[in-house]
Amino acid sequence: MTDFSVDQARSLAKHDLIEAYSALPPYPENRARLLYWFLSRSRLSGWRDVVALAVSLAQFGLETHDLVSEPARDEPLPAVRKRQLTVLAGDYFNGRFYELLSQAGGLEAIRLVSRAMCEVNRLKAGLYEKWRSLRMTAGEYLDELVMIKSGLFTPFTCFMQAGDAERFPVLLRALVRCEVIGEELAAANGDAARPGYVYWHLLQHGTPADREALLGGRAGSVAALAAKYKVTGLLEQMLDHQLAAVRRLAESFGSESLLAEIGRILDSIAGRMPVMKTANDLQR
């Protein structure tokens, strides 16, 4: 697929104030590219550009909102302003989604994605509740993130031919799992205190003494325990296996153009692996 342009999407999302004063997540280009490819074979083929752009902007808005942290006591004014702008940035990207589709007359697409947004927010609330009550395994954490990050893209199966409608969600979620594992791997090498896969793996597999140290929030305990239990190496193995699984799924379609598209996507994910492995080797 060559027509979908992330530069075009970024130009639609561009705002000088947002870029200057708020943090933004990576643009969900891979999910948009995969949706575009399948829409090219669907009843929405003539709408593939605007739908892929609009849905990826909506996803960008949701993931921007996810960066908003809880306010700290006596927080300095610049941090308050940054949080406020991040919230507004997410709202702005969601607004561009509605603007694009309403101008194109895509009311059905708006309804589909709006319902999907409600479901994604329900999943996020459930994830937050599990996090607060410590009722979650590391595997469940990954599964929840995959569902949350793929939820806006799956409603369009109703426009796809039967075979694609069954297999697109499977391939999409397999690809999103690659992205999620890659993000968790990057976080493990950077800020191990982040309550992500590392945290839940340690709670699940650590000794009682190690779990107590983790829950007690002792300085440096998460990073030290992550090294002790070799969690980064585990994530690397998981990513390698998942990349191979996505490639096998793509091969099952028998489409050279899909294989080429998936190859480009997987190469962009795997391209970060050498740096990550170097960091892990140092950890060991």
Side-chain angles (χ1 to χ4, degrees):
M1 183 185 70
T2 58
D3 294 335
F4 177 82
S5 169
V6 73
D7 291 332
Q8 181 184 7
R10 285 173 177 155
S11 69
L12 288 170
K14 185 177 178 61
H15 192 289
D16 292 341
L17 190 62
I18 290 173
E19 293 180 347
Y21 297 104
S22 63
L24 296 176
Y27 197 85
E29 177 182 2
N30 293 337
R31 281 162 279 175
R33 287 185 175 278
L34 191 62
L35 177 62
Y36 180 99
W37 190 90
F38 278 91
L39 289 180
S40 299
R41 293 152 52 102
S42 75
R43 291 189 287 115
L44 280 184
S45 59
W47 289 55
R48 57 191 180 186
D49 298 273
V50 67
V51 169
L53 281 171
V55 175
S56 57
L57 282 168
Q59 182 68 37
F60 196 41
L62 290 181
E63 293 182 7
T64 299
H65 281 157
D66 290 340
L67 297 178
V68 180
S69 58
E70 292 290 333
R73 183 177 298 177
D74 300 325
E75 191 173 44
L77 184 60
V80 174
R81 292 287 182 262
K82 183 176 182 179
R83 178 182 296 102
Q84 291 172 337
L85 278 170
T86 303
V87 173
L88 291 174
D91 293 342
Y92 174 76
F93 300 140
N94 284 333
R96 297 310 302 265
F97 152 74
Y98 286 109
E99 179 186 18
L100 272 174
L101 286 181
S102 62
Q103 288 178 350
L107 297 181
E108 178 60 22
I110 289 176
R111 284 193 289 268
L112 285 172
V113 177
S114 295
R115 286 196 293 266
M117 282 183 179
C118 293
E119 175 62 14
V120 166
N121 286 328
R122 186 191 68 80
L123 291 172
K124 286 182 178 179
L127 180 62
Y128 180 68
E129 181 57 33
K130 289 179 182 179
W131 175 77
R132 287 186 60 190
S133 60
L134 300 178
R135 293 185 296 104
M136 186 159 53
T137 66
E140 289 170 344
Y141 170 76
L142 288 183
D143 291 341
E144 294 276 357
L145 286 186
V146 169
M147 295 302 293
I148 287 169
K149 288 178 176 288
S150 60
L152 296 195
F153 297 84
T154 53
F156 293 93
T157 53
C158 65
F159 297 105
M160 297 177 186
Q161 51 189 294
D164 285 356
E166 293 176 1
R167 295 193 290 175
F168 166 68
V170 177
L171 181 56
L172 172 69
R173 288 169 186 151
L175 176 62
V176 171
R177 185 171 290 272
C178 286
E179 294 181 328
V180 168
I181 295 172
E183 290 167 1
E184 293 300 314
L185 183 50
N189 282 317
D191 179 15
R194 172 177 173 269
Y197 182 88
V198 170
Y199 183 86
W200 298 109
H201 180 86
L202 295 174
L203 279 184
Q204 184 179 356
H205 298 285
T207 64
D210 287 340
R211 290 199 296 271
E212 182 181 352
L214 184 67
L215 292 172
R218 297 202 208 24
S221 63
V222 178
L225 290 173
K228 174 181 176 180
Y229 288 90
K230 297 182 172 59
V231 185
T232 303
L234 174 62
L235 282 167
E236 286 177 349
Q237 292 177 3
M238 290 170 59
L239 182 55
D240 284 339
H241 292 158
Q242 191 63 31
L243 290 169
V246 170
R247 198 176 297 277
R248 287 194 298 271
L249 280 172
E251 288 172 350
S252 71
F253 282 82
S255 167
E256 291 298 326
S257 64
L258 178 61
L259 273 177
E261 187 60 42
I262 289 295
R264 284 191 289 271
I265 291 172
L266 296 187
D267 287 347
S268 71
I269 297 173
R272 294 189 293 271
M273 287 295 288
V275 174
M276 294 174 181
K277 288 182 176 178
T278 298
N280 188 56
D281 290 340
L282 290 174
Q283 186 187 66
R284 293 170 184 166

mmCIF file of all heavy atoms in Angstrom, residues 157-199:
data_model
loop_
_atom_site.group_PDB
_atom_site.id
_atom_site.type_symbol
_atom_site.label_atom_id
_atom_site.label_comp_id
_atom_site.label_asym_id
_atom_site.label_seq_id
_atom_site.Cartn_x
_atom_site.Cartn_y
_atom_site.Cartn_z
ATOM 1 N N THR A 157 -15.174 -4.435 9.632
ATOM 2 C CA THR A 157 -15.325 -5.766 9.039
ATOM 3 C C THR A 157 -16.704 -5.939 8.400
ATOM 4 O O THR A 157 -16.874 -6.771 7.508
ATOM 5 C CB THR A 157 -15.138 -6.857 10.106
ATOM 6 O OG1 THR A 157 -16.024 -6.594 11.205
ATOM 7 C CG2 THR A 157 -13.704 -6.888 10.616
ATOM 8 N N CYS A 158 -17.679 -5.138 8.846
ATOM 9 C CA CYS A 158 -19.030 -5.268 8.275
ATOM 10 C C CYS A 158 -19.069 -4.870 6.804
ATOM 11 O O CYS A 158 -20.044 -5.188 6.100
ATOM 12 C CB CYS A 158 -20.025 -4.444 9.082
ATOM 13 S SG CYS A 158 -19.751 -2.664 9.040
ATOM 14 N N PHE A 159 -18.033 -4.191 6.318
ATOM 15 C CA PHE A 159 -17.980 -3.791 4.914
ATOM 16 C C PHE A 159 -17.094 -4.733 4.085
ATOM 17 O O PHE A 159 -16.985 -4.558 2.876
ATOM 18 C CB PHE A 159 -17.431 -2.371 4.776
ATOM 19 C CG PHE A 159 -18.297 -1.332 5.428
ATOM 20 C CD1 PHE A 159 -17.917 -0.765 6.628
ATOM 21 C CD2 PHE A 159 -19.487 -0.925 4.844
ATOM 22 C CE1 PHE A 159 -18.712 0.199 7.241
ATOM 23 C CE2 PHE A 159 -20.290 0.036 5.442
ATOM 24 C CZ PHE A 159 -19.905 0.589 6.651
ATOM 25 N N MET A 160 -16.440 -5.709 4.748
ATOM 26 C CA MET A 160 -15.466 -6.565 4.069
ATOM 27 C C MET A 160 -16.109 -7.851 3.582
ATOM 28 O O MET A 160 -17.143 -8.276 4.101
ATOM 29 C CB MET A 160 -14.308 -6.898 5.019
ATOM 30 C CG MET A 160 -13.502 -5.689 5.460
ATOM 31 S SD MET A 160 -12.207 -6.137 6.658
ATOM 32 C CE MET A 160 -11.590 -4.503 7.105
ATOM 33 N N GLN A 161 -15.485 -8.466 2.599
ATOM 34 C CA GLN A 161 -15.943 -9.762 2.134
ATOM 35 C C GLN A 161 -15.745 -10.786 3.244
ATOM 36 O O GLN A 161 -14.933 -10.584 4.160
ATOM 37 C CB GLN A 161 -15.182 -10.169 0.880
ATOM 38 C CG GLN A 161 -13.673 -10.074 0.997
ATOM 39 C CD GLN A 161 -12.971 -10.271 -0.331
ATOM 40 O OE1 GLN A 161 -13.028 -11.353 -0.895
ATOM 41 N NE2 GLN A 161 -12.301 -9.247 -0.825
ATOM 42 N N ALA A 162 -16.481 -11.877 3.182
ATOM 43 C CA ALA A 162 -16.566 -12.822 4.299
ATOM 44 C C ALA A 162 -15.202 -13.271 4.816
ATOM 45 O O ALA A 162 -14.936 -13.239 6.011
ATOM 46 C CB ALA A 162 -17.408 -14.026 3.888
ATOM 47 N N GLY A 163 -14.327 -13.702 3.917
ATOM 48 C CA GLY A 163 -13.024 -14.187 4.348
ATOM 49 C C GLY A 163 -12.213 -13.124 5.053
ATOM 50 O O GLY A 163 -11.597 -13.374 6.098
ATOM 51 N N ASP A 164 -12.197 -11.927 4.502
ATOM 52 C CA ASP A 164 -11.446 -10.832 5.114
ATOM 53 C C ASP A 164 -12.050 -10.425 6.450
ATOM 54 O O ASP A 164 -11.328 -10.096 7.401
ATOM 55 C CB ASP A 164 -11.417 -9.620 4.183
ATOM 56 C CG ASP A 164 -10.463 -9.811 3.008
ATOM 57 O OD1 ASP A 164 -9.783 -10.859 2.973
ATOM 58 O OD2 ASP A 164 -10.409 -8.925 2.134
ATOM 59 N N ALA A 165 -13.369 -10.433 6.541
ATOM 60 C CA ALA A 165 -14.040 -10.029 7.781
ATOM 61 C C ALA A 165 -13.663 -10.949 8.935
ATOM 62 O O ALA A 165 -13.606 -10.515 10.091
ATOM 63 C CB ALA A 165 -15.554 -10.043 7.579
ATOM 64 N N GLU A 166 -13.398 -12.217 8.630
ATOM 65 C CA GLU A 166 -13.010 -13.167 9.674
ATOM 66 C C GLU A 166 -11.536 -13.034 10.035
ATOM 67 O O GLU A 166 -11.168 -13.154 11.206
ATOM 68 C CB GLU A 166 -13.288 -14.596 9.204
ATOM 69 C CG GLU A 166 -14.764 -14.919 9.049
ATOM 70 C CD GLU A 166 -14.986 -16.312 8.500
ATOM 71 O OE1 GLU A 166 -13.983 -17.031 8.266
ATOM 72 O OE2 GLU A 166 -16.157 -16.683 8.288
ATOM 73 N N ARG A 167 -10.691 -12.785 9.031
ATOM 74 C CA ARG A 167 -9.250 -12.843 9.279
ATOM 75 C C ARG A 167 -8.609 -11.497 9.584
ATOM 76 O O ARG A 167 -7.544 -11.452 10.203
ATOM 77 C CB ARG A 167 -8.561 -13.488 8.069
ATOM 78 C CG ARG A 167 -8.977 -14.943 7.877
ATOM 79 C CD ARG A 167 -8.077 -15.659 6.887
ATOM 80 N NE ARG A 167 -8.280 -15.164 5.518
ATOM 81 C CZ ARG A 167 -7.560 -15.558 4.481
ATOM 82 N NH1 ARG A 167 -6.585 -16.439 4.649
ATOM 83 N NH2 ARG A 167 -7.808 -15.094 3.269
ATOM 84 N N PHE A 168 -9.240 -10.393 9.174
ATOM 85 C CA PHE A 168 -8.659 -9.085 9.453
ATOM 86 C C PHE A 168 -8.473 -8.832 10.951
ATOM 87 O O PHE A 168 -7.399 -8.407 11.375
ATOM 88 C CB PHE A 168 -9.511 -7.979 8.828
ATOM 89 C CG PHE A 168 -9.180 -6.595 9.329
ATOM 90 C CD1 PHE A 168 -7.965 -6.001 9.009
ATOM 91 C CD2 PHE A 168 -10.072 -5.898 10.140
ATOM 92 C CE1 PHE A 168 -7.646 -4.720 9.483
ATOM 93 C CE2 PHE A 168 -9.778 -4.631 10.607
ATOM 94 C CZ PHE A 168 -8.553 -4.044 10.283
ATOM 95 N N PRO A 169 -9.497 -9.080 11.799
ATOM 96 C CA PRO A 169 -9.276 -8.828 13.235
ATOM 97 C C PRO A 169 -8.154 -9.671 13.827
ATOM 98 O O PRO A 169 -7.426 -9.206 14.714
ATOM 99 C CB PRO A 169 -10.632 -9.190 13.861
ATOM 100 C CG PRO A 169 -11.618 -9.070 12.756
ATOM 101 C CD PRO A 169 -10.881 -9.514 11.527
ATOM 102 N N VAL A 170 -8.013 -10.903 13.343
ATOM 103 C CA VAL A 170 -6.962 -11.782 13.853
ATOM 104 C C VAL A 170 -5.585 -11.212 13.509
ATOM 105 O O VAL A 170 -4.690 -11.128 14.356
ATOM 106 C CB VAL A 170 -7.117 -13.201 13.276
ATOM 107 C CG1 VAL A 170 -5.977 -14.106 13.750
ATOM 108 C CG2 VAL A 170 -8.458 -13.790 13.677
ATOM 109 N N LEU A 171 -5.410 -10.804 12.253
ATOM 110 C CA LEU A 171 -4.134 -10.242 11.823
ATOM 111 C C LEU A 171 -3.878 -8.900 12.500
ATOM 112 O O LEU A 171 -2.757 -8.605 12.929
ATOM 113 C CB LEU A 171 -4.129 -10.075 10.301
ATOM 114 C CG LEU A 171 -2.849 -9.513 9.672
ATOM 115 C CD1 LEU A 171 -1.634 -10.357 10.044
ATOM 116 C CD2 LEU A 171 -2.999 -9.411 8.156
ATOM 117 N N LEU A 172 -4.918 -8.078 12.605
ATOM 118 C CA LEU A 172 -4.770 -6.771 13.254
ATOM 119 C C LEU A 172 -4.300 -6.929 14.693
ATOM 120 O O LEU A 172 -3.345 -6.270 15.123
ATOM 121 C CB LEU A 172 -6.103 -6.028 13.217
ATOM 122 C CG LEU A 172 -6.153 -4.721 14.023
ATOM 123 C CD1 LEU A 172 -5.280 -3.662 13.392
ATOM 124 C CD2 LEU A 172 -7.591 -4.235 14.158
ATOM 125 N N ARG A 173 -4.958 -7.801 15.453
ATOM 126 C CA ARG A 173 -4.593 -7.959 16.862
ATOM 127 C C ARG A 173 -3.217 -8.582 17.021
ATOM 128 O O ARG A 173 -2.487 -8.257 17.970
ATOM 129 C CB ARG A 173 -5.666 -8.785 17.578
ATOM 130 C CG ARG A 173 -6.958 -7.999 17.765
ATOM 131 C CD ARG A 173 -8.107 -8.861 18.219
ATOM 132 N NE ARG A 173 -9.342 -8.072 18.247
ATOM 133 C CZ ARG A 173 -10.553 -8.556 18.059
ATOM 134 N NH1 ARG A 173 -10.708 -9.859 17.802
ATOM 135 N NH2 ARG A 173 -11.608 -7.774 18.104
ATOM 136 N N ALA A 174 -2.847 -9.462 16.097
ATOM 137 C CA ALA A 174 -1.492 -10.020 16.142
ATOM 138 C C ALA A 174 -0.456 -8.929 15.904
ATOM 139 O O ALA A 174 0.592 -8.893 16.566
ATOM 140 C CB ALA A 174 -1.349 -11.129 15.099
ATOM 141 N N LEU A 175 -0.752 -8.026 14.976
ATOM 142 C CA LEU A 175 0.151 -6.916 14.702
ATOM 143 C C LEU A 175 0.210 -5.949 15.885
ATOM 144 O O LEU A 175 1.289 -5.497 16.286
ATOM 145 C CB LEU A 175 -0.301 -6.175 13.447
ATOM 146 C CG LEU A 175 0.497 -4.915 13.081
ATOM 147 C CD1 LEU A 175 1.947 -5.265 12.785
ATOM 148 C CD2 LEU A 175 -0.140 -4.203 11.902
ATOM 149 N N VAL A 176 -0.947 -5.643 16.454
ATOM 150 C CA VAL A 176 -0.981 -4.741 17.608
ATOM 151 C C VAL A 176 -0.215 -5.348 18.779
ATOM 152 O O VAL A 176 0.455 -4.633 19.528
ATOM 153 C CB VAL A 176 -2.440 -4.430 18.012
ATOM 154 C CG1 VAL A 176 -2.492 -3.668 19.331
ATOM 155 C CG2 VAL A 176 -3.112 -3.612 16.917
ATOM 156 N N ARG A 177 -0.277 -6.669 18.924
ATOM 157 C CA ARG A 177 0.489 -7.317 19.993
ATOM 158 C C ARG A 177 1.990 -7.094 19.792
ATOM 159 O O ARG A 177 2.724 -6.881 20.766
ATOM 160 C CB ARG A 177 0.177 -8.819 20.045
ATOM 161 C CG ARG A 177 0.838 -9.550 21.208
ATOM 162 C CD ARG A 177 0.308 -10.974 21.318
ATOM 163 N NE ARG A 177 -1.065 -10.981 21.769
ATOM 164 C CZ ARG A 177 -1.432 -10.994 23.065
ATOM 165 N NH1 ARG A 177 -0.506 -11.008 24.011
ATOM 166 N NH2 ARG A 177 -2.694 -11.011 23.393
ATOM 167 N N CYS A 178 2.436 -7.115 18.546
ATOM 168 C CA CYS A 178 3.843 -6.778 18.272
ATOM 169 C C CYS A 178 4.159 -5.372 18.761
ATOM 170 O O CYS A 178 5.187 -5.132 19.409
ATOM 171 C CB CYS A 178 4.136 -6.867 16.770
ATOM 172 S SG CYS A 178 4.245 -8.516 16.095
ATOM 173 N N GLU A 179 3.278 -4.421 18.440
ATOM 174 C CA GLU A 179 3.497 -3.036 18.833
ATOM 175 C C GLU A 179 3.509 -2.894 20.354
ATOM 176 O O GLU A 179 4.366 -2.197 20.921
ATOM 177 C CB GLU A 179 2.414 -2.139 18.236
ATOM 178 C CG GLU A 179 2.456 -2.051 16.719
ATOM 179 C CD GLU A 179 1.386 -1.123 16.172
ATOM 180 O OE1 GLU A 179 0.304 -1.024 16.780
ATOM 181 O OE2 GLU A 179 1.637 -0.505 15.130
ATOM 182 N N VAL A 180 2.575 -3.563 21.018
ATOM 183 C CA VAL A 180 2.475 -3.463 22.472
ATOM 184 C C VAL A 180 3.708 -4.061 23.135
ATOM 185 O O VAL A 180 4.289 -3.467 24.055
ATOM 186 C CB VAL A 180 1.191 -4.165 22.966
ATOM 187 C CG1 VAL A 180 1.220 -4.332 24.487
ATOM 188 C CG2 VAL A 180 -0.034 -3.374 22.552
ATOM 189 N N ILE A 181 4.139 -5.239 22.675
ATOM 190 C CA ILE A 181 5.326 -5.858 23.252
ATOM 191 C C ILE A 181 6.543 -4.977 23.021
ATOM 192 O O ILE A 181 7.391 -4.803 23.899
ATOM 193 C CB ILE A 181 5.549 -7.270 22.672
ATOM 194 C CG1 ILE A 181 4.406 -8.198 23.082
ATOM 195 C CG2 ILE A 181 6.886 -7.846 23.145
ATOM 196 C CD1 ILE A 181 4.433 -9.552 22.402
ATOM 197 N N GLY A 182 6.646 -4.393 21.809
ATOM 198 C CA GLY A 182 7.761 -3.489 21.530
ATOM 199 C C GLY A 182 7.754 -2.284 22.456
ATOM 200 O O GLY A 182 8.823 -1.852 22.940
ATOM 201 N N GLU A 183 6.570 -1.724 22.725
ATOM 202 C CA GLU A 183 6.475 -0.577 23.632
ATOM 203 C C GLU A 183 6.856 -0.974 25.054
ATOM 204 O O GLU A 183 7.545 -0.223 25.761
ATOM 205 C CB GLU A 183 5.045 -0.022 23.606
ATOM 206 C CG GLU A 183 4.692 0.673 22.297
ATOM 207 C CD GLU A 183 3.196 0.930 22.169
ATOM 208 O OE1 GLU A 183 2.444 0.586 23.119
ATOM 209 O OE2 GLU A 183 2.783 1.468 21.128
ATOM 210 N N GLU A 184 6.416 -2.159 25.479
ATOM 211 C CA GLU A 184 6.763 -2.625 26.825
ATOM 212 C C GLU A 184 8.253 -2.903 26.939
ATOM 213 O O GLU A 184 8.861 -2.672 27.983
ATOM 214 C CB GLU A 184 5.962 -3.889 27.153
ATOM 215 C CG GLU A 184 4.470 -3.658 27.288
ATOM 216 C CD GLU A 184 4.117 -2.671 28.390
ATOM 217 O OE1 GLU A 184 4.680 -2.805 29.500
ATOM 218 O OE2 GLU A 184 3.298 -1.773 28.150
ATOM 219 N N LEU A 185 8.844 -3.389 25.866
ATOM 220 C CA LEU A 185 10.283 -3.639 25.857
ATOM 221 C C LEU A 185 11.058 -2.337 25.950
ATOM 222 O O LEU A 185 12.033 -2.215 26.690
ATOM 223 C CB LEU A 185 10.655 -4.402 24.586
ATOM 224 C CG LEU A 185 12.114 -4.839 24.395
ATOM 225 C CD1 LEU A 185 12.632 -5.561 25.628
ATOM 226 C CD2 LEU A 185 12.228 -5.717 23.168
ATOM 227 N N ALA A 186 10.614 -1.333 25.201
ATOM 228 C CA ALA A 186 11.264 -0.024 25.277
ATOM 229 C C ALA A 186 11.124 0.571 26.672
ATOM 230 O O ALA A 186 12.061 1.171 27.212
ATOM 231 C CB ALA A 186 10.663 0.919 24.234
ATOM 232 N N ALA A 187 9.952 0.412 27.286
ATOM 233 C CA ALA A 187 9.730 0.933 28.635
ATOM 234 C C ALA A 187 10.585 0.182 29.652
ATOM 235 O O ALA A 187 11.097 0.779 30.606
ATOM 236 C CB ALA A 187 8.253 0.820 29.002
ATOM 237 N N ALA A 188 10.751 -1.126 29.445
ATOM 238 C CA ALA A 188 11.561 -1.910 30.377
ATOM 239 C C ALA A 188 13.011 -1.483 30.349
ATOM 240 O O ALA A 188 13.709 -1.503 31.370
ATOM 241 C CB ALA A 188 11.446 -3.400 30.033
ATOM 242 N N ASN A 189 13.483 -1.074 29.185
ATOM 243 C CA ASN A 189 14.869 -0.617 29.067
ATOM 244 C C ASN A 189 15.034 0.830 29.508
ATOM 245 O O ASN A 189 16.156 1.286 29.728
ATOM 246 C CB ASN A 189 15.338 -0.745 27.613
ATOM 247 C CG ASN A 189 15.694 -2.176 27.260
ATOM 248 O OD1 ASN A 189 16.338 -2.863 28.038
ATOM 249 N ND2 ASN A 189 15.253 -2.633 26.106
ATOM 250 N N GLY A 190 13.923 1.545 29.582
ATOM 251 C CA GLY A 190 14.013 2.952 29.949
ATOM 252 C C GLY A 190 13.557 3.186 31.370
ATOM 253 O O GLY A 190 14.338 3.169 32.316
ATOM 254 N N ASP A 191 12.253 3.326 31.552
ATOM 255 C CA ASP A 191 11.678 3.620 32.860
ATOM 256 C C ASP A 191 11.011 2.361 33.401
ATOM 257 O O ASP A 191 9.835 2.117 33.188
ATOM 258 C CB ASP A 191 10.661 4.758 32.739
ATOM 259 C CG ASP A 191 10.005 5.084 34.070
ATOM 260 O OD1 ASP A 191 10.537 4.639 35.103
ATOM 261 O OD2 ASP A 191 8.973 5.777 34.063
ATOM 262 N N ALA A 192 11.788 1.568 34.139
ATOM 263 C CA ALA A 192 11.263 0.302 34.647
ATOM 264 C C ALA A 192 10.229 0.509 35.748
ATOM 265 O O ALA A 192 9.534 -0.427 36.137
ATOM 266 C CB ALA A 192 12.408 -0.567 35.166
ATOM 267 N N ALA A 193 10.115 1.718 36.276
ATOM 268 C CA ALA A 193 9.131 1.985 37.324
ATOM 269 C C ALA A 193 7.724 2.134 36.752
ATOM 270 O O ALA A 193 6.752 2.175 37.495
ATOM 271 C CB ALA A 193 9.521 3.247 38.081
ATOM 272 N N ARG A 194 7.622 2.220 35.437
ATOM 273 C CA ARG A 194 6.311 2.336 34.803
ATOM 274 C C ARG A 194 5.496 1.086 35.117
ATOM 275 O O ARG A 194 5.989 -0.030 34.997
ATOM 276 C CB ARG A 194 6.524 2.474 33.292
ATOM 277 C CG ARG A 194 5.278 2.429 32.428
ATOM 278 C CD ARG A 194 5.702 2.648 30.990
ATOM 279 N NE ARG A 194 4.615 2.456 30.056
ATOM 280 C CZ ARG A 194 4.327 1.284 29.478
ATOM 281 N NH1 ARG A 194 5.052 0.223 29.763
ATOM 282 N NH2 ARG A 194 3.341 1.184 28.617
ATOM 283 N N PRO A 195 4.236 1.226 35.523
ATOM 284 C CA PRO A 195 3.436 0.050 35.898
ATOM 285 C C PRO A 195 2.945 -0.724 34.684
ATOM 286 O O PRO A 195 1.748 -0.772 34.387
ATOM 287 C CB PRO A 195 2.268 0.656 36.694
ATOM 288 C CG PRO A 195 2.111 2.018 36.115
ATOM 289 C CD PRO A 195 3.506 2.483 35.764
ATOM 290 N N GLY A 196 3.865 -1.292 33.951
ATOM 291 C CA GLY A 196 3.527 -2.026 32.756
ATOM 292 C C GLY A 196 3.804 -3.515 32.908
ATOM 293 O O GLY A 196 3.674 -4.081 34.001
ATOM 294 N N TYR A 197 4.190 -4.156 31.817
ATOM 295 C CA TYR A 197 4.381 -5.602 31.822
ATOM 296 C C TYR A 197 5.394 -6.033 32.878
ATOM 297 O O TYR A 197 5.187 -7.036 33.576
ATOM 298 C CB TYR A 197 4.838 -6.074 30.440
ATOM 299 C CG TYR A 197 5.012 -7.579 30.367
ATOM 300 C CD1 TYR A 197 3.936 -8.392 30.024
ATOM 301 C CD2 TYR A 197 6.229 -8.178 30.650
ATOM 302 C CE1 TYR A 197 4.078 -9.773 29.977
ATOM 303 C CE2 TYR A 197 6.379 -9.558 30.616
ATOM 304 C CZ TYR A 197 5.301 -10.346 30.273
ATOM 305 O OH TYR A 197 5.438 -11.711 30.244
ATOM 306 N N VAL A 198 6.496 -5.290 32.983
ATOM 307 C CA VAL A 198 7.525 -5.645 33.963
ATOM 308 C C VAL A 198 6.921 -5.723 35.359
ATOM 309 O O VAL A 198 7.145 -6.683 36.112
ATOM 310 C CB VAL A 198 8.680 -4.623 33.927
ATOM 311 C CG1 VAL A 198 9.633 -4.845 35.097
ATOM 312 C CG2 VAL A 198 9.451 -4.730 32.615
ATOM 313 N N TYR A 199 6.168 -4.713 35.721
ATOM 314 C CA TYR A 199 5.555 -4.641 37.048
ATOM 315 C C TYR A 199 4.658 -5.850 37.304
ATOM 316 O O TYR A 199 4.766 -6.507 38.350
ATOM 317 C CB TYR A 199 4.756 -3.342 37.139
ATOM 318 C CG TYR A 199 4.112 -3.081 38.480
ATOM 319 C CD1 TYR A 199 4.809 -2.446 39.494
ATOM 320 C CD2 TYR A 199 2.786 -3.454 38.706
ATOM 321 C CE1 TYR A 199 4.212 -2.189 40.715
ATOM 322 C CE2 TYR A 199 2.181 -3.195 39.928
ATOM 323 C CZ TYR A 199 2.894 -2.567 40.926
ATOM 324 O OH TYR A 199 2.293 -2.307 42.131
#
